[in-house]
Amino acid sequence: MTSPHSVSAERSASPLGTLTIVPWTNGPTPDDSIVPFLMVYSLGDGRDGPEAGEAAMRAALEGMGLPIGDRVVNAAQETAIAAHLLVEAQQAVLTLPFMKVQCSVPAQWEKAAHENGQVFLIVSTLPWPDAVPGEAITEEQLRAFVTDEKVVTAGAHVMLPVRRVRG
């Protein structure tokens, strides 16, 4: 289905561990709309273990002013949120205070991001050690993780505006 992308191998020396990003879409829905999603999560391989990584991710998100739980923040309206997303040439570049990552996205994902003008970003405080960069994640595995009540209530949820390169 899709493959996660890692920020860098050096991240395992930090409390957050290896940070990973995975893009996907939900659709199309009955009304033919497609919503692009991005999820950031840790493998839980930080220097102090998964529990410390969870606490470090929670602190990083709260430091950004993002609530933890099922409330969705609209970053276009709450401009103090330090999160940016550039989508161009089937690449998504996500910048957060604690990471910057570029990942390949399918053409359908990019088209939906530009048409919607935003992407639904989920940042999980819970590690997902089974979703290793470079290995495919099935739709069932992804759905099970992102819909797990523990993951939903322990993550940040952001509608993030899409930026483009100006020519």
Side-chain angles (χ1 to χ4, degrees):
M1 185 201 142
T2 189
S3 294
H5 305 272
S6 174
V7 172
S8 72
E10 297 86 42
R11 284 293 187 173
S12 61
S14 88
L16 292 172
T18 304
L19 297 177
T20 309
I21 184 170
V22 62
W24 80 95
T25 60
N26 73 326
T29 62
D31 67 355
D32 287 332
S33 66
I34 296 174
V35 176
F37 290 84
L38 275 178
M39 182 174 54
V40 174
Y41 60 93
S42 171
L43 295 181
D45 60 353
R47 69 171 183 244
D48 301 321
E51 294 81 18
E54 182 179 341
M57 182 67 85
R58 180 177 293 274
L61 294 172
E62 289 172 347
M64 289 177 59
L66 292 175
I68 305 299
D70 57 2
R71 179 175 160 244
V72 178
V73 173
N74 185 336
Q77 295 174 349
E78 297 186 36
T79 57
I81 304 297
H84 304 284
L85 179 64
L86 173 70
V87 177
E88 201 72 47
Q90 290 187 295
Q91 297 292 308
V93 180
L94 177 65
T95 304
L96 302 173
F98 54 90
M99 69 179 281
K100 181 174 184 175
V101 64
Q102 178 175 333
C103 73
S104 299
V105 294
Q108 177 186 27
W109 190 98
E110 179 179 11
K111 181 180 179 201
H114 289 157
E115 287 176 355
N116 294 335
Q118 59 188 4
V119 168
F120 194 109
L121 172 67
I122 301 168
V123 184
S124 176
T125 63
L126 299 180
W128 193 14
D130 299 332
V132 179
E135 294 183 18
I137 299 172
T138 67
E139 188 174 327
E140 293 78 24
Q141 290 171 308
L142 182 62
R143 185 180 303 116
F145 187 76
V146 300
T147 61
D148 183 295
E149 187 174 340
K150 289 180 188 175
V151 174
V152 171
T153 58
H157 308 271
V158 183
M159 292 307 297
L160 193 56
V162 172
R163 296 181 177 180
R164 296 184 80 163
V165 174
R166 299 198 196 306

